[in-house]
Amino acid sequence: MKEKSQSNPLREGLSNKAVPQPCAVVIFGATGDLTHRKLVPALYNIAADGELPPAVAVVGFARRPKTDDEFRQEMEEATRKFSRQAVRDEIWKGFAETLYYHQSEFGDEAGYKKLAERLDKLDETSGTRGNRLFYFAASPEQFETIIENLQKAGLNKTREGSWARVILEKPFGTDLESARHLNKVVQSAFSENQTYRIDHFLGKETAQNILVLRFANAIFEPLWNADHIDHVQITAAETLGVENRAGYYEGAGALRDMVQNHLLQLLCLVAMEPPTDLGADGIRDEKVKVVRSLRPFQIDEVGSDVVRGQYAEGAIAGEQVVAYRAEKNVDPKSQTETFVALRVRIDNWRWADVPFYIRVGKRLPKSGTEISVHFKKAPQVLFNRESQALDQNVLVIRIQPDEGISLRMQAKVPGTSFRIESVKMDFHYGTSFGKASPEAYERLLLDAMSGDPTLFARRDEVEQAWKFIDTIEEAWTAKENAPKLATYPAGSWGPEEADELLARDGRAWRRL
Ligand code: BG6
């Protein structure tokens, strides 16, 4: 098979041919989980696919002392473990030479001065042309310190013709106030078009395909509204528990961890109006309108429209697992939710009276993320009789795993009578295109190297989403009448209250 060229490949962006440019990628938090599991394996895969820009240097920045060689070795082990494609020795060898380690405390001014000198040298030896991509994979409490020090070392400024960009990992704040503050801090050093707030769900192939499904096909859009759609469900289920992330998760919970960002982003892609163009702002302008149109909860509605739950002990795939409160570093009286279900309304013309039900949870029986669009029933004439009511048509967008789309429709069972059953028309990425989708981080890193912020969250989107979420948190932490935290056995589909939320509307969650 022909090896793809390594030289400055052109990539189709959403609206343009984006060119990933030579650059130094500085990863703050280089010894952390994200770097090991996602970032370096993603960079390796980009290299293996021949899509890295011709000159790249990856500089890991962290506190622990380590040599370049030790860092390379550690990254090799991590990549062999977590990479999407098996590591090929000859490619790893070339890629490893682009990895460097820079030891410094996050708050040490001198460490950033030395970083600046090192990056200047790399411009000469590696051809990175003064372009810098700063990836904030450290814990969010460090963000402000890092920004201040980058600024002091002049690293937010660039030479003529070069660029500096920051990629900020979630969580982007913990509420509206902290998000606003963080935005202010970031923007004291970097402008909005240098700021890339990552939401890795937007990098998932199937999330991007929502736009294609809706706006590249003529058949769906005319039906995509309150006249034809009964309701929409969005589910993100995980069998995993909190793992070793209690330090972060205890203060976050499922609402802040998943709903404020990933799930609201999916909702926006499903609910947005057609954008005027496929540019970054064309799409993000429409997404932010959706978040702005979310009907805000009144404090006293939160109890009835939002269910929060926490997993108790139970079994996943036949294996006994402990309760959330018994997990390492979790408060035995923790009130943190590991499950949320919400009924959301979008107050605009297109979606008037169409509920969007969102649910997300850890320690559920199955892992899977999907969006299902439930169409209104056929009129009760001809085949759809009271004695034999037909199912709704349901369009399912499987975000992961087994990425694809299916449409449930009615068909006649072969035979001499008129029996009707639901059947599924199914499209699977794996079989239709015969190649594996890239990991979200691969796509997003390339986009940032190419200067394409379309799949990153804009300041107003993030703040607006927090505004919506804050009322729920406020109700949950109220001194009086706070809605109770339900529990559910690990391995179940969440608390009964989540089923009741839909049952009250005469509906039920779709089985994954
Ligand atoms: C992260 C959350 O953003 O997304 C995790 O912090 C969650 O709690 C993860 O497990 C899910 O992402 P994915 O890509 O594995 O579905």
Short mmCIF file of all heavy atoms in Angstrom, two decimals, residues 170 200-201 204 238 245 248-249 257-258 262 362 369 400, ligand 1:
data_model
loop_
_atom_site.label_atom_id
_atom_site.label_comp_id
_atom_site.label_asym_id
_atom_site.label_seq_id
_atom_site.Cartn_x
_atom_site.Cartn_y
_atom_site.Cartn_z
N LYS A 170 -11.83 20.81 29.50
CA LYS A 170 -12.90 20.99 30.46
C LYS A 170 -12.43 20.47 31.82
O LYS A 170 -11.49 19.68 31.83
CB LYS A 170 -14.16 20.28 30.00
CG LYS A 170 -14.04 18.76 29.97
CD LYS A 170 -15.35 18.12 29.69
CE LYS A 170 -16.08 17.74 30.93
NZ LYS A 170 -15.65 16.48 31.53
N HIS A 200 -14.63 17.21 23.68
CA HIS A 200 -14.22 16.15 22.77
C HIS A 200 -15.42 15.47 22.09
O HIS A 200 -15.24 14.83 21.06
CB HIS A 200 -13.30 15.14 23.45
CG HIS A 200 -13.98 14.15 24.33
ND1 HIS A 200 -14.39 14.44 25.61
CD2 HIS A 200 -14.33 12.87 24.12
CE1 HIS A 200 -14.95 13.38 26.14
NE2 HIS A 200 -14.94 12.40 25.26
N PHE A 201 -16.64 15.66 22.61
CA PHE A 201 -17.79 15.08 21.92
C PHE A 201 -17.96 15.69 20.52
O PHE A 201 -18.44 15.03 19.61
CB PHE A 201 -19.07 15.26 22.75
CG PHE A 201 -19.34 14.08 23.65
CD1 PHE A 201 -18.34 13.56 24.45
CD2 PHE A 201 -20.60 13.48 23.70
CE1 PHE A 201 -18.57 12.46 25.28
CE2 PHE A 201 -20.84 12.38 24.51
CZ PHE A 201 -19.82 11.87 25.31
N LYS A 204 -16.17 13.81 17.83
CA LYS A 204 -16.58 12.46 17.47
C LYS A 204 -17.21 12.48 16.08
O LYS A 204 -18.01 13.35 15.77
CB LYS A 204 -17.59 11.91 18.50
CG LYS A 204 -16.94 11.63 19.86
CD LYS A 204 -17.94 11.04 20.83
CE LYS A 204 -17.41 11.02 22.26
NZ LYS A 204 -16.54 9.91 22.57
N GLU A 238 -22.65 4.91 30.70
CA GLU A 238 -21.32 4.31 30.88
C GLU A 238 -21.41 3.19 31.90
O GLU A 238 -22.11 3.34 32.92
CB GLU A 238 -20.34 5.34 31.43
CG GLU A 238 -19.98 6.43 30.48
CD GLU A 238 -18.97 7.39 31.11
OE1 GLU A 238 -19.39 8.25 31.91
OE2 GLU A 238 -17.78 7.27 30.82
N ARG A 245 -10.95 9.07 39.68
CA ARG A 245 -11.12 10.50 39.44
C ARG A 245 -11.97 11.19 40.51
O ARG A 245 -12.50 12.28 40.27
CB ARG A 245 -11.76 10.72 38.07
CG ARG A 245 -10.94 10.19 36.93
CD ARG A 245 -11.73 10.21 35.65
NE ARG A 245 -12.01 11.55 35.17
CZ ARG A 245 -13.19 11.93 34.67
NH1 ARG A 245 -14.19 11.07 34.62
NH2 ARG A 245 -13.38 13.14 34.24
N TYR A 248 -11.67 14.96 41.36
CA TYR A 248 -12.37 15.92 40.50
C TYR A 248 -13.89 15.71 40.56
O TYR A 248 -14.67 16.63 40.74
CB TYR A 248 -11.85 15.76 39.06
CG TYR A 248 -12.86 16.09 37.99
CD1 TYR A 248 -13.24 17.41 37.75
CD2 TYR A 248 -13.47 15.08 37.24
CE1 TYR A 248 -14.19 17.72 36.79
CE2 TYR A 248 -14.42 15.38 36.28
CZ TYR A 248 -14.78 16.69 36.06
OH TYR A 248 -15.72 16.99 35.11
N TYR A 249 -14.29 14.44 40.46
CA TYR A 249 -15.71 14.14 40.25
C TYR A 249 -16.58 14.52 41.45
O TYR A 249 -17.72 14.97 41.28
CB TYR A 249 -15.87 12.65 39.91
CG TYR A 249 -17.17 12.34 39.25
CD1 TYR A 249 -17.33 12.51 37.88
CD2 TYR A 249 -18.27 11.88 39.98
CE1 TYR A 249 -18.54 12.23 37.26
CE2 TYR A 249 -19.48 11.60 39.37
CZ TYR A 249 -19.60 11.78 38.01
OH TYR A 249 -20.80 11.52 37.40
N ASP A 257 -20.14 17.50 34.83
CA ASP A 257 -19.16 16.73 34.09
C ASP A 257 -19.61 16.44 32.66
O ASP A 257 -18.81 16.45 31.73
CB ASP A 257 -18.92 15.39 34.83
CG ASP A 257 -17.85 14.54 34.17
OD1 ASP A 257 -16.79 15.09 33.83
OD2 ASP A 257 -18.08 13.32 34.00
N MET A 258 -20.88 16.18 32.47
CA MET A 258 -21.34 15.72 31.15
C MET A 258 -22.43 16.58 30.53
O MET A 258 -22.45 16.76 29.31
CB MET A 258 -21.90 14.29 31.29
CG MET A 258 -20.91 13.23 31.64
SD MET A 258 -19.80 12.76 30.29
CE MET A 258 -20.88 11.86 29.19
N HIS A 262 -20.92 18.20 27.05
CA HIS A 262 -21.13 17.23 25.98
C HIS A 262 -22.60 17.10 25.55
O HIS A 262 -22.94 17.13 24.37
CB HIS A 262 -20.66 15.84 26.41
CG HIS A 262 -19.25 15.81 26.92
ND1 HIS A 262 -18.26 16.61 26.42
CD2 HIS A 262 -18.66 15.06 27.89
CE1 HIS A 262 -17.12 16.36 27.06
NE2 HIS A 262 -17.35 15.42 27.96
N LYS A 362 -23.28 6.94 35.23
CA LYS A 362 -22.18 5.98 35.38
C LYS A 362 -22.76 4.71 36.01
O LYS A 362 -23.78 4.75 36.68
CB LYS A 362 -21.08 6.55 36.26
CG LYS A 362 -20.39 7.76 35.62
CD LYS A 362 -18.99 7.96 36.13
CE LYS A 362 -18.32 9.18 35.52
NZ LYS A 362 -17.75 8.94 34.17
N THR A 369 -23.71 5.96 23.66
CA THR A 369 -24.25 7.32 23.56
C THR A 369 -25.10 7.37 22.30
O THR A 369 -24.62 6.98 21.22
CB THR A 369 -23.10 8.34 23.47
OG1 THR A 369 -22.29 8.20 24.62
CG2 THR A 369 -23.63 9.76 23.40
N GLN A 400 -21.75 6.39 19.76
CA GLN A 400 -20.76 5.35 20.05
C GLN A 400 -21.40 4.27 20.92
O GLN A 400 -22.36 4.59 21.62
CB GLN A 400 -19.56 5.94 20.79
CG GLN A 400 -19.98 6.55 22.12
CD GLN A 400 -18.89 7.33 22.81
OE1 GLN A 400 -17.96 7.79 22.19
NE2 GLN A 400 -19.00 7.49 24.11
C1 BG6 B 1 -15.42 13.06 30.02
C2 BG6 B 1 -16.00 12.93 31.40
O1 BG6 B 1 -15.47 14.39 29.58
O2 BG6 B 1 -16.14 12.24 29.13
C3 BG6 B 1 -15.98 11.49 31.86
O3 BG6 B 1 -15.24 13.73 32.30
C4 BG6 B 1 -16.63 10.59 30.84
O4 BG6 B 1 -16.60 11.36 33.13
C5 BG6 B 1 -16.08 10.86 29.46
O5 BG6 B 1 -16.38 9.27 31.22
C6 BG6 B 1 -16.85 10.11 28.40
O6 BG6 B 1 -16.21 10.28 27.18
P1 BG6 B 1 -16.20 9.13 26.09
O7 BG6 B 1 -15.54 9.73 24.91
O8 BG6 B 1 -15.44 7.99 26.69
O9 BG6 B 1 -17.64 8.80 25.88
#
